[in-house]
């Protein structure tokens, strides 16, 4: 493990200088307008957070932003590799850019992120997608200004994909998507090598940001008026591992909880093998930490969990859930489940259904197993027939819908505190947000409420949305 994975400050300063040089070229080339960038991040919150850094750097170069790729001068897809479907969507999007590039060769089309970090994909793009101008992997994001400078000055194709254990780049400009909730990465990479997962192959080894940097970032977000921070990491419970500072994840949570201000703290993702009683006790003690734990279980069968290399059993998972339910009144659990892992039998799947019933998740992210090149599970031959997987998938989502509906029905009459973050989906005169447990709540109210907390009494629910009435805004 690289003990000091930080990108040196001189390197970050050199990139800021490249940004200035790009700004000069851009001002000259686009003297008649502000050039527009279209940045689309696929996949997880870590990717969304990377996208905010990309936009920060582009903004420094003088780009404005658009949601319409047709009018953009710079188009970037920040890709995801977790499942095949995500990759196919990117190829579809890139393919549809061909005509636009033919019409206007001045456009720069860029691809970055987890998908292109895989060698077989980057080779395919280099060879078969000649109109992709800029291709860079996950370890060189902070070098975007330098790569853009090369592209803008030569108009040639630029490729930068390095095999790396991974770095931490601080002090990159960030252009955040929202003004109420902010993503704050606390660590990068993953060491767990779950046998189905491509993430450790494309995001490098675990490395943690220094607590001082995390705390400073959060303090300034609160000063800027943010009301929620979501701490990000593939496995936040192994925060600190291998670092030279002395603060584990629970201690970090307590420090953040001590920051002055009316705001909430969320985090994701917790790996069940590393989620400790100390973590549960910390959530129970810290008033700002939401009573919601996203704890991906993946399967309820010990045999499958072992084949997945998850490092826990259904029983140990359930006893952790039990401990949390006793310690944190009203705690909500959400989870990820993979259906159709190679060799999953009907009996294994029945154990997953059983576990889902016992925990009573407030919501579930359910995925059909997707074979990923380079992972251990890709060598497992015993694939389950597709019709069988589809049937299991439906059985699981039906069960979860029933559990969620029962859970919502039981909550009618309760009062919840909602952080209002958007206009409602149920009706234009509604606003919406999440309660402490992470449920979507909507109620009648004006958009001036966005960015504030509201006490809402639950009156009804419609599929995944809780409906309520505002009792007090604060
Ligand atoms: N196939 C299906 N789902 C996957 N996930 C990760 N890799 C795969 C795969 N190969 C799911 C896991 C993980 C979530 C982020 O994505 O459930 O928790
Ligand atoms: Fe993938 Fe497992 Fe790491 Fe999560 S913990 S990113 S599922 S390898």
């Amino acid at each position: 493990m690289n003990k000091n994975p930080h990108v040196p400050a001189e390197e970050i300063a050199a990139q800021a200088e490249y940004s200035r040089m790009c700004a000069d070229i851009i001002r000259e080339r686009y003297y008649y307008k502000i050039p527009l960038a279209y940045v689309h991040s696929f996949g997880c919150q870590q990717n969304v957070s990377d996208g905010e850094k990309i936009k920060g750097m582009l903004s420094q170069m003088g780009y404005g932003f658009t949601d319409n790729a047709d009018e953009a001068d710079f188009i970037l897809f920040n890709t995801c590799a977790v499942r095949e479907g995500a990759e196919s969507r990117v190829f579809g999007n890139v393919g549809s850019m061909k005509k636009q590039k033919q019409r206007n060769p001045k456009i720069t089309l860029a691809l970055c992120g987890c998908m292109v970090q895989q060698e077989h994909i980057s080779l395919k793009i280099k060879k078969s997608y000649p109109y992709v101008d800029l291709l860079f992997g996950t370890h060189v994001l902070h070098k975007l200004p330098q790569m853009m400078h090369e592209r803008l000055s030569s108009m040639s194709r630029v490729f930068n994909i390095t095999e790396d254990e991974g770095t931490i780049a601080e002090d990159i400009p960030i252009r955040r998507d929202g003004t109420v909730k902010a993503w704050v990465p606390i660590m990068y990479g993953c060491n767990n090598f779950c046998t189905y997962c491509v993430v450790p192959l494309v995001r490098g080894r675990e490395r943690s940001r220094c607590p001082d940097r995390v705390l400073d970032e959060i303090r300034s977000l609160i000063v800027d008026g943010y009301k929620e921070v979501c701490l990000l990491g593939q496995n936040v419970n192994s925060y600190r591992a291998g670092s030279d500072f002395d603060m584990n994840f629970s201690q970090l949570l307590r420090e953040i909880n001590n920051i002055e201000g009316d705001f909430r703290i969320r985090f994701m993702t917790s790996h069940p093998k590393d989620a400790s009683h100390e973590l549960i006790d910390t959530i129970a003690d810290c008033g700002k930490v939401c009573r919601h734990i996203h704890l991906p279980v993946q399967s309820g069968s010990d045999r499958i969990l072992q084949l997945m290399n998850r490092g826990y059993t259904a029983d140990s998972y359930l006893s952790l859930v039990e401990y949390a339910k006793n310690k944190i009144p009203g705690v909500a659990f959400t989870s990820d489940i993979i259906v159709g892992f190679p060799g999953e039998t009907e009996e294994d799947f029945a154990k997953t259904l059983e576990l889902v019933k016992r925990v009573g998740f407030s919501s579930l992210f359910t995925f059909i197993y997707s074979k990923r090149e380079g992972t251990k599970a890709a060598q497992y031959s015993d694939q389950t027939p597709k019709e069988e997987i589809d049937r299991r998938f439906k059985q699981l989502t039906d069960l979860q819908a029933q559990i969620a509906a029962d859970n919502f029905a039981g909550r009618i009459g309760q009062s919840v505190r909602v952080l209002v973050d958007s206009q409602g989906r149920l009706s234009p005169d509604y606003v919406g947000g999440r309660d402490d447990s992470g449920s979507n709540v909507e109620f009648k109210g004006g958009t001036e409420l966005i960015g504030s907390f509201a006490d809402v009494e639950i009156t009804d629910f419609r599929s995944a949305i809780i409906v309520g009435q505002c009792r007090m805004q604060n």
Side-chain angles (χ1 to χ4, degrees):
M1 140 95 63
N2 178 358
K3 262 280 185 198
N4 185 8
H6 287 84
V7 177
E10 307 83 66
E11 168 70 36
I12 300 293
Q15 294 303 324
E17 186 51 33
Y18 276 116
S19 271
R20 275 190 285 280
M21 292 194 280
C22 288
D24 289 343
I25 300 175
I26 285 168
R27 225 175 292 117
E28 207 173 295
R29 193 165 297 169
Y30 295 98
Y31 60 90
Y32 53 96
K33 68 164 191 175
I34 293 177
L36 295 177
Y38 170 86
V39 176
H40 186 105
S41 293
F42 294 83
C44 68
Q45 286 76 14
Q46 183 59 56
N47 246 24
V48 173
S49 165
D50 284 351
E52 294 182 332
K53 289 180 183 154
I54 289 167
K55 284 186 258 190
M57 291 184 273
L58 290 171
S59 176
Q60 237 179 23
M61 295 173 212
Y63 282 96
F65 295 91
T66 174
D67 290 333
N68 178 3
D70 290 342
E71 61 173 16
D73 303 281
F74 175 87
I75 297 166
L76 179 136
F77 296 113
N78 182 20
T79 64
C80 168
V82 166
R83 282 169 294 274
E84 196 184 349
E87 292 191 345
S88 314
R89 269 200 299 284
V90 170
F91 278 122
N93 277 283
V94 174
S96 71
M97 290 295 146
K98 189 174 179 180
K99 282 220 170 72
Q100 198 171 335
K101 276 282 313 208
Q102 279 166 346
R103 275 199 307 274
N104 182 2
K106 243 170 83 174
I107 293 174
T108 293
L109 177 58
L111 279 184
C112 68
C114 294
M115 180 178 159
V116 305
Q117 184 68 35
Q118 305 170 99
E119 199 181 8
H120 69 282
I121 299 279
S122 65
L123 290 174
K124 177 171 166 179
I125 292 164
K126 274 187 207 172
K127 193 163 151 250
S128 311
Y129 294 79
Y131 49 94
V132 173
D133 307 298
L134 179 56
L135 194 71
F136 59 98
T138 48
H139 302 305
V140 289
L141 190 89
H142 61 284
K143 291 189 180 164
L144 179 62
Q146 186 174 357
M147 295 182 272
M148 279 299 280
H149 184 255
E150 192 181 336
R151 164 72 188 157
L152 289 165
S153 26
S154 68
M155 289 310 274
S156 56
R157 299 180 87 191
V158 177
F159 302 114
N160 192 345
I161 293 159
T162 53
E163 286 298 318
D164 204 314
E165 296 223 310
T167 51
I168 298 177
E170 296 288 359
D171 297 318
I172 297 188
I174 305 176
R175 185 180 185 275
R176 295 188 193 267
D177 294 338
T179 54
V180 182
K181 304 192 292 189
W183 307 116
V184 179
I186 60 165
M187 58 184 300
Y188 305 97
C190 182
N191 287 358
N192 294 305
F193 292 94
C194 301
T195 55
Y196 51 81
C197 187
V198 78
V199 169
L201 310 180
V202 293
R203 287 251 173 209
R205 299 290 62 76
E206 276 176 1
R207 56 225 183 256
S208 302
R209 290 180 72 195
C210 294
D212 289 351
R213 303 304 300 244
V214 174
L215 291 166
D216 282 351
E217 181 172 339
I218 295 175
R219 277 187 207 104
S220 79
L221 285 167
I222 304 311
V223 168
D224 288 346
Y226 283 87
K227 294 284 190 286
E228 183 177 303
V229 290
C230 183
L231 313 176
L232 298 179
Q234 299 299 341
N235 178 8
V236 289
N237 300 314
S238 53
Y239 179 76
R240 181 186 71 178
S243 307
D244 47 15
F245 56 81
D246 189 23
M247 192 183 288
N248 69 16
F249 182 57
S250 297
Q251 292 162 331
L252 178 70
L253 274 180
R254 286 183 191 273
E255 291 291 323
I256 300 171
N257 190 66
N258 285 338
I259 295 176
E260 290 235 345
D262 190 12
F263 68 98
R264 292 204 294 213
I265 306 163
R266 293 190 191 280
F267 58 86
M268 65 189 341
T269 295
S270 276
H271 193 308
K273 82 175 161 61
D274 299 315
S276 59
H277 286 191
E278 184 192 6
L279 172 70
I280 307 292
D281 296 347
T282 304
I283 301 171
D285 287 348
C286 293
K288 289 174 185 155
V289 178
C290 289
R291 268 85 183 116
H292 166 211
I293 310 177
H294 183 61
L295 201 62
V297 68
Q298 314 297 358
S299 168
S301 153
D302 290 346
R303 200 180 70 81
I304 296 293
L305 287 171
Q306 199 171 8
L307 286 171
M308 288 176 164
N309 187 32
R310 289 291 288 176
Y312 54 87
T313 61
D315 271 352
S316 67
Y317 184 94
L318 286 166
S319 69
L320 186 69
V321 166
E322 229 16 71
Y323 182 82
K325 284 182 176 172
N326 286 329
K327 277 272 170 166
I328 313 169
V331 66
F333 284 95
T334 55
S335 201
D336 297 345
I337 290 187
I338 297 178
V339 178
F341 185 81
E344 182 190 72
T345 62
E346 194 53 35
E347 201 187 340
D348 293 316
F349 179 66
K351 290 182 177 154
T352 298
L353 295 177
E354 183 54 35
L355 182 138
V356 166
K357 277 188 216 149
R358 286 193 47 193
V359 177
F361 294 107
S362 59
S363 70
L364 268 187
F365 298 88
T366 41
F367 306 105
I368 288 181
Y369 169 73
S370 172
K371 185 174 172 178
R372 305 283 63 212
E373 192 166 321
T375 61
K376 198 162 175 200
Q379 296 158 13
Y380 299 171
S381 54
D382 195 4
Q383 310 278 340
T384 316
K386 184 175 176 312
E387 312 77 65
E388 184 55 31
I389 293 176
D390 289 346
R391 192 191 58 72
R392 287 180 197 167
F393 189 81
K394 181 162 185 319
Q395 206 179 338
L396 177 61
T397 49
D398 285 351
L399 170 66
Q400 179 54 33
Q402 189 54 53
I403 292 172
D406 291 347
N407 173 10
F408 282 176
R411 293 179 66 190
I412 290 176
Q414 278 181 9
S415 228
V416 288
R417 192 161 187 248
V418 178
L419 174 57
V420 185
D421 61 15
S422 55
Q423 195 167 31
R425 278 179 284 168
L426 294 175
S427 156
D429 59 351
Y430 275 45
V431 283
R434 288 184 188 271
D435 69 359
D436 195 56
S437 72
S439 296
N440 272 314
V441 182
E442 293 197 7
F443 60 93
K444 196 168 180 171
T447 47
E448 71 282 356
L449 295 180
I450 292 175
S452 57
F453 288 100
D455 290 327
V456 177
E457 188 186 315
I458 299 176
T459 54
D460 197 1
F461 63 93
R462 296 204 206 132
S463 120
I465 301 176
I466 290 178
V467 186
Q469 271 174 7
C470 182
R471 293 289 175 229
M472 195 167 49
Q473 178 216 338
N474 43 55

